[in-house]
């Protein structure tokens, strides 16, 4: 483990805003009054409140204690804040956490504003919606994204985002399953697996949790795992186009994946949150692969299509053909989770989702995606011109840059310190990401150009 | 167990919309083409797909299998739909699921519409917000509801609703804790406990899950449990003003509760979603009780204050003083849950929340609450005039009506069949609710008056 990573691992799991709130120490009660202090008298005061504070007798959840360091992106936000404190005048540019920057097309925001207004009228008001989402939106998602794939309205569960659904899926599976993930991968898969108790302890020497199968994805295997070396697991999380590597799996590769799942009786959780970024003929849904409905769930999101990262809207597809070993439909249990642990997405966000899927909305989303794809090209060209090996970018808004032999956190720190650019260290996505950084193409054009200028100066 | 309840328990766990989607049977593939059928030929067709369908080798989560029947409210929705099929011309009125009916005050919807519009501008656009919620909203919640109680902005986690936070709290506690609930209680506490694996099997004879402490709340004990008979548990879910009984605990009772938790080292999860309905001097927050910050979490919601049942916005307070037995702050683990399994509430809903807490918004919310409280009085008066023993209603939008010696589901069915009114059977909230029905005061005035007229005819 690199020294930079060790520093990261020792940092508390708080996000930046949370770090400042002084847990366990109530200064107003245990510190001396100003008058006493000003006289320089050393009074015998009570022990620090950390030692005397009342504690409940409830044991901390051992699974929570297994989690390492902070969730990646709050940790990056913390480092960014620390950098801004150090360089208050610096123009910090973030190509880090993959947060959208371009305004939401007006056809979509108008629909949301209209829905908000209608809630103040007797005719337009509605209370609880269906936990599974508005019927019209479910139907529009089914027909827009899965038109000829045999996915029906009732297979669609509308959610407040793919990340939230990933945790609900983990809750559905419970603690007695074993999962596989691509390595590197989006951290929410592994962290949610730890939280529900599917894993063993974190093994510091290999930087992996026990009882997770890490499927290494590297330039050598074209970022598709060598399935002949992958152990059988119950669940396989698979993201394509991939976050963080930016690589999209081909039809042939996904056919191998589906066959592998079928041979093992596994369930694939397929994250297609970047599918609309695909430029070539890679499948945009796992359900394009024959037989996938019997082995796969798909989760996706409006976040990166319509700039809904803050609006919160996504969906999960669970075909009714997908059955547990006892023949019980997976969707039926997920429906129960959704009804018990969730209450539907915001009706205003859902109105926005419906507008996204109108012909005008689809065109507007494609324009926004096109803009980010131009950013991607600029970033790819920059790193390529500097002699780096660059991956991804073609089918995804992420560029995966190789810094062979170097620690990702060192490169992250070097770029931040010298150019005031925030990137994401590849090792934050798993040990397979070591030696890479992920550069996000979400940014205003001026910022992307400026960022590339600074990178050219640093690495010329 | 009554026969009506047995029927209910045998019904699948689907909500109504989900029941119609024909799991496991793909009619287009396995049924005969119309031509064959029209000739009356009995062809030898493949066995039904239930028997031949491919199954994965993934075991169904045993905790999910423990859940009984449907989540209460989807089950009621299903019965309502069945009733409407039977009586297509009936004017069905729902005083059932506790869903708000009155428009959201315009000062609040305007703020949401404005936020939606601003998302289409370069200046107004924002992407991911803080997972814990907007800083200004957290501060406004702290000062509005906990002004002089020592709760700070950083103790507040903004959410998409109390129900969702209850499950996130269960995920935080994990499977190795034992919980107590009031009996009767809002079903999400028990069901989420089952899902995360804290409980034993459902014991049909006593209608309780193993390893949950049910704290009976009856007219005899003033709907406050006799704590001298309650076993020590790790977690105590406690709702006041109570859903379903409508009863608010007094300051003295809550002091007993906090002392009980402190004596046992338990954590109270206090659901105050109806606090603004309190008319007398009952505490509106558990943090009004000295020492509560060391033993309690509070969860609440804008749903029943501002009609946000569909907009989705709530919050949870975890004081930094609340510590696990090893001294680790509970809030720190919850923060990690929120960052990993959630991504913040919709920014548009949060703009609405901020407007709710403006002086104009607060006044508007109080007006809406006042309207529902008038409904409550009408319902209380109706049942009282008919000679029923009626509880609740004073500090909550729920009226708890006693039908001694009768099955709740029978009374529910009788009222639905004879008056086309949807109520909620008390036994749906736990065995302690048997013999009661819950009547919700959420409804248009005309509907409430009409409902009371029909009830007077039925029970005159």
């Amino acid at each position: 483990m690199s020294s930079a990573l060790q520093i990261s691992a020792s940092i508390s799991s708080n996000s930046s805003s949370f770090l400042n709130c002084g847990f366990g120490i109530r200064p107003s009660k245990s510190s001396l009054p100003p008058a006493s202090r000003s006289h320089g008298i050393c009074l015998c005061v009570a022990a620090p409140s950390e030692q005397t504070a009342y504690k409940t007798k409830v044991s901390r959840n051992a699974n929570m204690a297994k989690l390492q360091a902070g969730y990646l992106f709050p940790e990056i936000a913390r480092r960014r804040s620390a950098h801004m404190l150090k360089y208050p005048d610096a123009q910090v540019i973030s190509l880090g956490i993959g947060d959208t920057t371009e305004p939401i097309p007006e056809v979509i925001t108008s629909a949301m504003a209209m829905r908000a207004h209608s809630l103040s009228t007797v005719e337009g008001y509605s209370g609880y919606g269906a936990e599974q989402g508005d019927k019209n939106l479910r139907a529009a998602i089914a027909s827009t994204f899965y038109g000829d794939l045999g996915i029906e309205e009732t297979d669609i569960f509308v959610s407040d985002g793919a990340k939230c659904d990933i945790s609900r899926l983990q809750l559905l599976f419970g603690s007695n399953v074993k999962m596989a993930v691509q390595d590197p991968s989006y951290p929410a898969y592994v962290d949610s697996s730890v939280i529900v108790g599917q894993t063993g302890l974190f093994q510091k020497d290999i930087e992996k949790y026990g009882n997770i199968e890490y499927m290494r994805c590297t330039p050598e295997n074209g970022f598709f795992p060598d399935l002949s070396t992958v152990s059988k697991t119950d669940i396989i999380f698979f993201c394509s186009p991939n976050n963080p590597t930016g690589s999209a799996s081909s039809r042939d590769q996904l056919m191998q994946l589906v066959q592998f799942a079928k041979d093992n009786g596994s369930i694939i959780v397929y994250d297609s949150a970047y599918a609309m970024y695909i430029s070539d003929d890679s499948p945009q849904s796992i359900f394009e692969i024959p037989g996938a409905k019997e082995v796969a769930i798909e989760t996706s999101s409006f976040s990166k299509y319509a700039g809904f990262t803050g609006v919160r809207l996504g969906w999960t597809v669970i075909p009714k053909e997908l059955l547990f070993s006892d023949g019980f439909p997976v969707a039926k249990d997920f429906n129960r989770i959704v009804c018990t642990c969730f209450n539907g997405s915001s009706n205003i966000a859902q109105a926005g989702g419906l507008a996204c899927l109108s012909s005008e909305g689809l065109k507007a989303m494609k324009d926004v995606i096109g803009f980010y794809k131009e950013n991607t090209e600029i970033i790819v060209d920059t790193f390529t011109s500097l002699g780096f090996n660059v991956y991804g970018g073609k089918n995804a808004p992420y560029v995966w840059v190789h810094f062979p032999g170097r620690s990702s956190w060192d490169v992250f720190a070097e770029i931040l310190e010298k150019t005031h650019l925030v990137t994401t260290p590849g090792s934050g996505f798993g040990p397979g990401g070591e030696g890479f950084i992920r550069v996000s193409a979400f940014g205003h054009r001026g910022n992307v150009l400026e960022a590339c200028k600074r990178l050219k100066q640093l690495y010329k």
Side-chain angles (χ1 to χ4, degrees), chain A residues 234-251:
Chain A
D234 300 292
I235 312 297
I236 303 168
F237 276 87
F238 200 92
C239 178
S240 178
N242 189 263
N243 175 7
T245 68
S247 168
S249 297
S250 68
R251 187 170 308 270

Side-chain angles (χ1 to χ4, degrees), chain A residues 413-433:
Chain A
E414 173 180 274
I415 293 176
L416 180 59
E417 179 69 26
K418 298 195 177 158
T419 69
H420 308 305
L421 300 183
V422 180
T423 58
T424 307
S427 59
F429 299 98

Side-chain angles (χ1 to χ4, degrees), chain A residues 130-133 157-159 165 168-169 171-172 316 318 331-345:
Chain A
E131 291 91 343
Q132 305 85 359
F157 295 84
V158 176
S159 77
D165 265 352
R168 283 187 283 264
L169 287 168
L171 204 53
L172 164 78
T316 288
I318 309 192
K332 216 164 154 177
D333 269 349
F334 192 67
N335 188 63
R336 187 65 195 266
I337 292 273
V338 160
C339 288
T340 307
C341 308
F342 184 55
N343 232 330
S345 307

Side-chain angles (χ1 to χ4, degrees), chain A residues 342-353:
Chain A
F342 184 55
N343 232 330
S345 307
S346 178
N347 45 17
I348 300 171
Q350 291 192 67

